[in-house]
Amino acid sequence: SYIKYGADCCKKLNGIFAFAIYNTSDESLFLCRDRIGVKPLFYYEYNGGLLFASEIKALLASKIVKPQIDEQGLNEIFFLGPARTPSFGVFKGVFELNPGECAMYRHSKLRRKKYYTVEAKEHTDNEVTTIEKTRYLLTDAIQRQLVSDVPLCFFLSGGLDSSIIVKTASMYNKEHKLGKINTYSVEYRDNEKYFQPTPDYEFISMMSKNADTKHREIILDNTLVCDALYESVQARDLPGYVDVDSSLLLFCKEIKQNYTVALSGECADELFGGYPWYHNHEILFEDCFPWSKSQDIRRSILKDGVLKNGEEYVRQRYLDTINLAPKLKSDTDLDRRMREMFYLNFYWFMQCLLERKDRCSMFSGLEVRVPFCDYRLVEYAYNMPWELKAWGNREKGIVRKAFEDILPEEICWRKKSPYPKTHNPIYFNECVKRVRKILKKRSILNELLDRKGIEDIIENPDKITNPWYGQLMKAPQILAYIIELDYWFDKYNVEIV
């Protein structure tokens, strides 16, 4: 494709990829990353050369890249993490191609170019056509990603998104006489004793029966979830989404024993308005990242005078993003804000989840495909009017309507349930024990941390009203983040410059 089309080859592709092509005739290097940013591509420029890799650890292994962070890197970790600014690799001098970007390196110069971005267009389809097209685009994306040289399996949470993928795949297999599909779900040991408002397994069982799948539930031990925090740092090369990462890493390790490819329902919420901040207008029009409205809890774990401009740093990253969102003159105030919210979710929240899914799965040797990230579906969703996207005043309403005839009604119209996390006090106590041990040692990290603020989180975990990052990071996860920070500073020999 590159030989035929040159740098325009990336516009011909639909898939998840990051690749590099060296042209011996003119000594140029072409780099390219997929439109949505599912696969990573990091790089580092130095005097006379360019390093590139799919993981930061590969750059560090060269010894040319030093494990150094400056004030900007610290702001990323303490005020934005586990998210990070698009293109910024946290370590000093490390960058990443953005989704939909390519680059040419020649004569010691790197030129980056955006080859793809969503554009603001009028949505001309009526309601019936919009429903039909949403179904066609997603069905086609799923079926395209069923092509594999090895057997596939599927993540099944009992929610809308994974259920659509599972049912569509099951119908495809039945039509082509390919046999039953295999599905997997994850849960934590004894979680039902402490927190279970709507048990996922009832819906998982219902969907598995409906789609006639061979299903297996993976039960995770709470102490092992805490132990796996360290490996999940190695997977990301950065502090991450704590137990949301480590549980996925353990889950993928179990699946890898039988499969090397899986399909998962990530990113429907970001594209089709699945989160509360799309629907609550008080939150929607707040001029900030909706999943991290206040930096108070982040500030509370830092000593006085550390990273004085952290709040301003976050504010600027927010403004930079919403100012990029393409709009139409005909957009209403709601339309304009929804486009901004789409961009915030696409370049921040969604990228954080995609990074989590890719690193934790690939660390275990499992490739996870995400059909909702088909760029055609992304484009269609961006320009869909809110009253259609939220059909019936429901989160992801248009997706529900498009697939209501193939899903059990209880699943199709089920209220969104977040990725399961542990509520077992065993996990919280494990985190407390490890954090207190960290606070006693001499380290670079402890020169930044405020012990009193951290002890307050330990002693008063229920006082946290504004979580660290979204609804999944509260007191146990903040402590887990400190555990990951400590391990990251030590394991990677991080130096502050």
Side-chain angles (χ1 to χ4, degrees), residues 87-346:
S87 182
F88 189 61
V90 179
F91 288 96
K92 190 176 180 183
V94 174
F95 295 93
E96 184 178 29
L97 286 188
N98 280 326
E101 265 193 340
C102 59
M104 187 70 78
Y105 184 77
R106 192 179 179 206
H107 303 319
S108 299
K109 288 185 178 178
L110 183 73
R111 293 181 176 86
R112 288 170 58 161
K113 178 185 175 184
K114 192 82 174 168
Y115 73 85
Y116 174 80
T117 186
V118 291
E119 298 176 3
K121 299 175 183 176
E122 290 286 352
H123 185 86
T124 57
D125 293 342
N126 62 23
E127 180 181 300
V128 172
T129 304
T130 301
I131 292 167
E132 290 174 349
K133 193 165 183 179
T134 299
R135 176 157 173 166
Y136 164 75
L137 288 172
L138 182 52
T139 301
D140 188 61
I142 294 166
Q143 291 180 351
R144 281 169 177 255
Q145 295 190 26
L146 295 177
V147 177
S148 175
D149 295 330
V150 295
L152 295 154
C153 69
F154 301 81
F155 290 9
L156 178 60
S157 68
L160 176 71
D161 315 325
S162 64
S163 296
I164 288 172
I165 294 171
V166 164
K167 183 64 175 182
T168 302
S170 176
M171 291 167 65
Y172 179 89
N173 273 24
K174 191 173 183 181
E175 181 185 345
H176 293 84
K177 297 180 171 58
L178 297 174
K180 289 187 178 186
I181 65 172
N182 286 265
T183 53
Y184 287 85
S185 62
V186 64
E187 186 51 274
Y188 303 86
R189 182 160 291 128
D190 297 330
N191 218 26
E192 74 282 354
K193 294 180 182 178
Y194 304 98
F195 181 84
Q196 205 69 14
T198 52
D200 281 340
Y201 198 76
E202 292 178 18
F203 296 95
I204 293 167
S205 180
M206 181 190 301
M207 194 62 227
S208 176
K209 187 176 180 181
N210 178 273
D212 193 23
T213 80
K214 297 176 183 175
H215 186 75
R216 183 184 169 198
E217 182 183 40
I218 307 295
I219 307 290
L220 301 180
D221 177 83
N222 288 279
T223 301
L224 292 181
V225 169
C226 196
D227 290 341
L229 291 171
Y230 309 108
E231 272 195 324
S232 62
V233 171
Q234 293 178 45
R236 277 203 189 211
D237 297 317
L238 293 166
Y241 222 157
V242 292
D243 51 78
V244 184
D245 284 355
S246 65
S247 59
L248 178 63
L249 190 144
L250 294 174
F251 184 43
C252 290
K253 277 188 176 182
E254 287 291 323
I255 295 172
K256 173 59 180 175
Q257 294 178 26
N258 298 296
Y259 290 92
T260 54
V261 181
L263 267 68
S264 178
E266 251 78 13
C267 303
D269 293 299
E270 290 79 9
L271 304 179
F272 289 98
Y275 294 119
W277 49 73
Y278 280 102
H279 299 267
N280 183 331
H281 278 216
E282 288 182 16
I283 303 173
L284 176 66
F285 285 97
E286 283 187 320
D287 203 21
C288 61
F289 288 117
W291 51 83
S292 191
K293 295 188 290 181
S294 167
Q295 277 73 56
D296 289 352
I297 190 65
R298 295 170 180 266
R299 175 62 68 191
S300 74
I301 71 164
L302 293 171
K303 288 181 178 177
D304 289 344
V306 172
L307 301 176
K308 293 179 181 178
N309 299 318
E311 289 81 1
E312 290 79 4
Y313 185 86
V314 174
R315 174 71 179 163
Q316 192 57 53
R317 300 290 83 75
Y318 164 81
L319 292 174
D320 291 344
T321 307
I322 63 170
N323 289 336
L324 287 174
K327 301 171 179 116
L328 296 176
K329 289 183 180 179
S330 58
D331 285 345
T332 64
D333 287 346
L334 179 61
D335 290 332
R336 291 173 65 84
R337 184 55 179 166
M338 284 301 179
R339 292 191 190 278
E340 291 174 352
M341 191 63 77
F342 189 106
Y343 249 58
L344 290 170
N345 279 269
F346 183 88

Side-chain angles (χ1 to χ4, degrees), residues 434-450:
R434 298 177 197 212
V435 166
R436 284 188 164 146
K437 190 178 289 186
I438 289 167
L439 293 176
K440 289 177 182 177
K441 72 179 194 181
R442 293 183 64 182
S443 66
I444 299 175
L445 179 62
N446 273 332
E447 292 175 16
L448 306 172
L449 296 178
D450 181 84

Side-chain angles (χ1 to χ4, degrees), residues 22-23 25-29 45-50 104-111:
Y22 185 67
N23 188 338
S25 63
D26 64 0
E27 298 185 320
S28 65
L29 179 74
E45 290 185 85
Y46 65 101
N47 186 25
L50 177 81
M104 187 70 78
Y105 184 77
R106 192 179 179 206
H107 303 319
S108 299
K109 288 185 178 178
L110 183 73
R111 293 181 176 86

